Amino acid sequence: MNKEKKSLFGKMDVEARFGLMRMGVAIAIGLGLAVVLIVVAAKNPGESLKYFFAGPLQILNPAVKSGLAWNYFDLWIQKIIPLLFTGSAVCIMFSANKFNLGLEGAIIAGGLSCAWVCTLLDGDMLAANANPVLCVILGLGVSIIAGALVMLVPALLEKFFNASTMVTSLMMNYILLYVSQHCLFATSLRDAKTSKYSNQWTEDVVLTAKKFLGTDFTMRYGFFIGVVIVILAWAFLFKTKWGYKIRQIGQNPHFAKYVGVSVVSLGILVQVIGGAIGGLGGATVILGNYNYYYGIEMTGFGWDGVTMAIFSGNNPKKLFASCAFIAYIRAGAQIMATQPGGPISEMTKIVEGVIILFLLAEQFLARTHRKMIVAEAKKKQALKLAAEVNE
Amino acid sequence: MEDYLVMQDVTKIYNNGIIANDKVNFSAKKGEIHAICGENGAGKTTLMKMLFGIEQPDEGKIIIKGEEMRLNSPTDAIKAGIGMVHQHFMQVPTLTVAENVTLGIEPTKGLKFDHNKAVEMTRECCEKYGFDINPEAHIQDLSVGVKQKVEIVKALVKGCEILILDEPTAVLTPQETKELFIQLKNLKDSGCTIIFISHKLNEVKELCDRVTVIKKGKTIGVWNIKDVTEADISRYMVGVDVDLNIPKKPAEPKENVLVVKDLTVYNEAGKKKVDDVSFSVRKGEIVGIAGVEGNGQRELIDVITGLAKYNYGSVTLMGKEVKDLNIHELRKAGLVHIPEDRNLYGCARSMSIKDNMVADKIANPEYNKGLFINESAIKADTDKWIEEYRVLCDNGEQLCGMLSGGNVQKVVVAREFTSYSELVVSDQPTRGIDVGAAEFVRQRMVEMRDAGKAILLISADLAEIMSLSDSLIVMHGGKINAYFPNVKELTEEDLGFYMLGVKHMSDEEIGAALHE
Amino acid sequence: MSVFTEIWSILSTAFSTTEFYTMIIESTAPILLAALGCAIAAKANATNMGMEGIMMMSALVAVLVSSALGGAGVGPWVGLIAAVVVGCILGFLVSVFAFRLKIDIILVGIAMNLICTGASVFLMYSITGDRTTTTSLISGKLPSLSIPLIKDIPVIGTVLSGRFVLTYLAFILVAVLSFLLFKTKLGLRIRAVGENENAAESVGISSLKIKTIALIISGAFGGLGGAFMSQCYLAYFSSGLIAGRGFIGLAACTMGSANPGIICLCCLAFGIFYAISMFSQSMKLFAISSYALLALPYAIVLIGVVIYSIYTRNKELERLRGLDSEEKTEQNKAVE
């Protein structure tokens, strides 16, 4: 059994093996750091560690009340959903080397425009009994357009004026934050009775089914939308000619130009697609959790996308595992934090940052890398020699 | 006079196993201008890099003023009194001349950088050696000629006694060159030793006292300049060792595919690089372009392949003006291109062999099924090509960057030769690859010719260009210097004369390159 | 009331109130510190995206150290020094990851921000038990400075005198950084490395060393900016305290092409619009949304960056055109 495993690992080429190893070491360092932080900060380290590492999977523990255990599990799923969207969006943009950081703004725009459509169709403004499914579909559709438009701005500013996408997209985030507050508080979107939220729409429109089929499980349809998006992003990047050209730009822009790829227009396209996915993600978050719009603060969703893209090496196929992992430690940390004396959940940010740095460091483990290559070369040479002797 | 600088039996072997210098001997006397001549890739630059501490010799000694030296970095070399003027200037554009000149040895007054002192140092040095430069001007506002003077002053101010100039006149206008020579002679008179690397034999003859010729990493000999003619030097430098003996029938050229007419191209810095060039390439022939590197071939090829734009003259491919088409449309019109730098332009090293082979034809209908890529069709074709072009690899999924240079080149050739083509632009197709792979690539080019393609070949390998081409164009100073409709009648000695500008053809003979 | 009359009423009230002017100065200072920090890094060809995180971390450390010393007397001053030290350390770490371990410096910055966000809240919670602010600690403020003579001038005196020590320092540092960059040996080397690394290396300057120094100084500026926020602007640290000021600093640095004087003007422009948007929050507005006004300073930065880009592009085109004509005149000379 052990031997077979080894041979499977041995079959991969050196680069893939080294990549896997480096990821393993980076994650081990990150989790090690997490353990240290918990031990230092927790009143009851044993208990805290248990919740951190096994919190979301308490459903497997018969001793815990099932309602609570399902809530813990649900927290995990809830945290995965936005990551699937932001991760896919940034994977596509980074594949073409586009450092557009405006995803945050696209998410706000998506959430807001979706809420606007829903209140218009379903709220008391039209007082009509709109079809909830139609409402959701229209809301999501509009959010896609809104997100795409938001990202188009920095992309076009770069194309026409050569303005740094990084800076303009960061500023767009703040502009959209305050524009959304304006829409929420100073327009007819606002619910006159409460001061915080928009008009409500009926529960039916919400993308979540609590007590699904009578169980304690909460069904989140947003998760499935997210999964579909990841699959589509993967298919787009790796199974279509456009995705192929986009990756060419990212791997070697000179080469892409030389074989006749239109580098500029595809660069704009990826940002528009990234924005569309971000917008859809924002709408899914709103529709999945609330039946009203609230002023989304800078939630860090945009930065999460960058984290996920780095974790998955710009390959959406690997997003499932990466999102599940990050969401798991975030959910675990949050569950841990709710226990008396538990450390604060923000520690996961430290862990994530440290893992990113070690994942990216070219020189980290460089000596091991070199050794692996030399060993491989020697092995090949030995095989060749043996073959020659046989002949 | 005593030998001031001696490089004795110096050998340099690069990591990839290429022997760049094989027991090279070189020596220079105090106060002489000593030329080093050799073809591209003969090992001149490597030799100078070792002298300036950028590379370290594997064997041999460097002796300066009778003392053996180990030069581990440019700093060591500067301390030993060596200065180098690189082909690409090592300058900071927004800084002033004085700041650039004193960079690394900045004068200070308390906390402050003493700009006045720096200006004074620069001015003093300029006056001493007769350079006319304003020390307070900004580098970015200067012309190339003045920039080069700054580069020389930069070395002099650090007390340099041996000055290396790597092809200094390549970027200069004739007037600037003349001025430079006067100043170099002044320098010589004040006791400075100058090592002058150049292809331009007339300049070598005019300026230098002695000449060392290097060929294929070995020293051929040292001569006093007055004892040799330009033709002699050319003969020593240029030599075809082996007859490649490529079996091919005589060409049967048909109609024009590529027509270049009165083309003039300026580079980014505004220097004229291609000067009123006209020629054509016909179906079923291989037209070679020979010339010492830097004589306009690069710019000409960039224009033909759509990588650069041009304003004067016309280039037409199959009757279409090239500047009106983007690269995608150019390729559709029948251009394929083996680029000079296969790692920068020719492939994406982090993508698979398969992906690299279909890079230019991924949008073709045969590789798409509806919205998606037809993986099985791509795999079938690329597997076939890997076999046909004898790419040594485990399978098509292997990363291109893992292959040896020769095999990367085969991947590039396979991609280009399997695309729709009318014109094949083949830029240094066999540079740096092993003998077997090179022979294979050449054979393929002859096959393409016989299949009726027009082929434009650019190569620094004279054996290759002489045995592959049916007709040959020689470029010198951005112009076509000679045209040989029949390469068979050409001797290597003659080719050397034309490449190095010793001989020139008449306008009429050159005009025959354009078939109308 | 129409939009225009309302704009007029905002502007006329604002510009006739002295608080408005102090508001401009105080809101410019932290951004200016951040931008100057980004500028010295930018001159060495490094984008210090981690400025936000550096400010966050040093703001917290300033509060913690100051409160540990009682929050009065020398406390805040030692806190300030601690903030600068933390800034230097973080700047050094950025340089290690970016230049020694060879990670894209923008990604290092993003990771740095992530770590600092997490670490500052984690530390705060571990020490105070509060997850949002450190109000439970007495950390005190750095003193304000009243300037003799100037303080007696009516109106101008109240604006220019009595500001925080760090506010004055921020504006003084514009000149100091200009001096450092353009008048000292280190500045010369930083600019040389930033513009042409090979040129610097060819005369024996270690570009790694110079870039590391630049990032350490950049971190020190970030430390001052952080301390300003938690020891001048407010007297405590909170998780949302920095609120993107590091990023705005980066934008201002881009707009000012890393030139301290121009950066100062850009930051003042931001400060003016920021003050307008803040000032108008206290007014009763009908035609204009006070929320939308909050977006105004960011929109100004966006427009500023675009204008700057157009300007640099035109300048570059002009330069190339100049070279072209120069070549031609030389040719004409040759013909003659």
Side-chain angles (χ1 to χ4, degrees), chain A residues 13-15 235-236 238-242 244-245 247-248 251-252 254-261 380, chain B residues 307 327-328 331 337 339 343-348 350-351 355-356 359 362-363 371-373 375 415-416:
Chain A
D13 67 38
V14 190
E15 290 308 311
F236 174 71
F238 288 89
K239 295 289 158 196
T240 72
K241 55 188 173 198
W242 303 286
Y244 180 87
K245 290 177 180 175
R247 285 185 296 126
Q248 259 179 7
Q251 305 286 352
N252 183 348
H254 301 283
F255 175 58
K257 186 184 168 200
Y258 148 85
V259 294
V261 172
K380 267 193 186 160
Chain B
L307 288 166
I327 293 180
H328 178 69
R331 282 179 169 268
H337 175 201
N343 292 326
L344 186 64
Y345 286 103
C347 74
S350 46
M351 291 177 101
D355 286 351
N356 269 288
I362 191 75
L371 280 175
F372 295 109
I373 285 174
E375 298 263 11
R415 176 184 64 232
E416 299 300 317

Side-chain angles (χ1 to χ4, degrees), chain B residues 228-248:
Chain B
V228 284
T229 62
E230 285 174 46
D232 290 334
I233 304 175
S234 164
R235 228 174 274 126
Y236 297 133
M237 280 167 65
V238 181
V240 182
D241 286 352
V242 277
D243 183 9
L244 288 173
N245 200 12
I246 298 160
K248 60 169 193 175

Side-chain angles (χ1 to χ4, degrees), chain B residues 388-431:
Chain B
E388 200 181 320
Y389 285 82
R390 298 185 220 149
V391 180
L392 279 184
C393 60
D394 298 343
N395 57 51
E397 297 298 332
Q398 212 178 343
L399 295 187
C400 210
M402 305 291 284
L403 299 179
S404 69
N407 280 303
V408 172
Q409 192 69 356
K410 285 180 188 167
V411 171
V412 176
V413 170
R415 176 184 64 232
E416 299 300 317
F417 284 8
T418 52
S419 293
Y420 163 69
S421 63
E422 293 291 347
L423 173 71
V424 180
V425 176
S426 219
D427 195 354
Q428 317 290 357
T430 60
R431 177 177 282 181

Side-chain angles (χ1 to χ4, degrees), chain B residues 19 37 58 67 71 89 139 150 199 212 266 272 312 315 324 352 356 364 385 418 426 451 486:
Chain B
I19 303 173
C37 291
D58 294 310
E67 197 182 326
L71 306 169
F89 301 149
I139 294 286
V150 173
H199 293 293
T212 296
Y266 292 89
K272 195 188 264 184
Y312 312 99
V315 180
D324 300 336
S352 68
N356 269 288
N364 289 5
W385 296 332
T418 52
S426 219
N486 190 353

Side-chain angles (χ1 to χ4, degrees), chain C residues 124-167:
Chain C
M124 174 166 66
Y125 182 72
S126 304
I127 291 169
T128 66
D130 190 332
R131 57 170 64 232
T132 50
T133 67
T134 60
T135 38
S136 58
L137 301 176
I138 299 161
S139 55
K141 274 191 176 188
L142 289 165
S144 303
L145 213 63
S146 72
I147 305 172
L149 294 179
I150 291 181
K151 76 168 191 270
D152 301 325
I153 308 171
V155 187
I156 295 177
T158 42
V159 174
L160 291 185
S161 171
R163 303 277 69 79
F164 299 116
V165 182
L166 285 186
T167 310

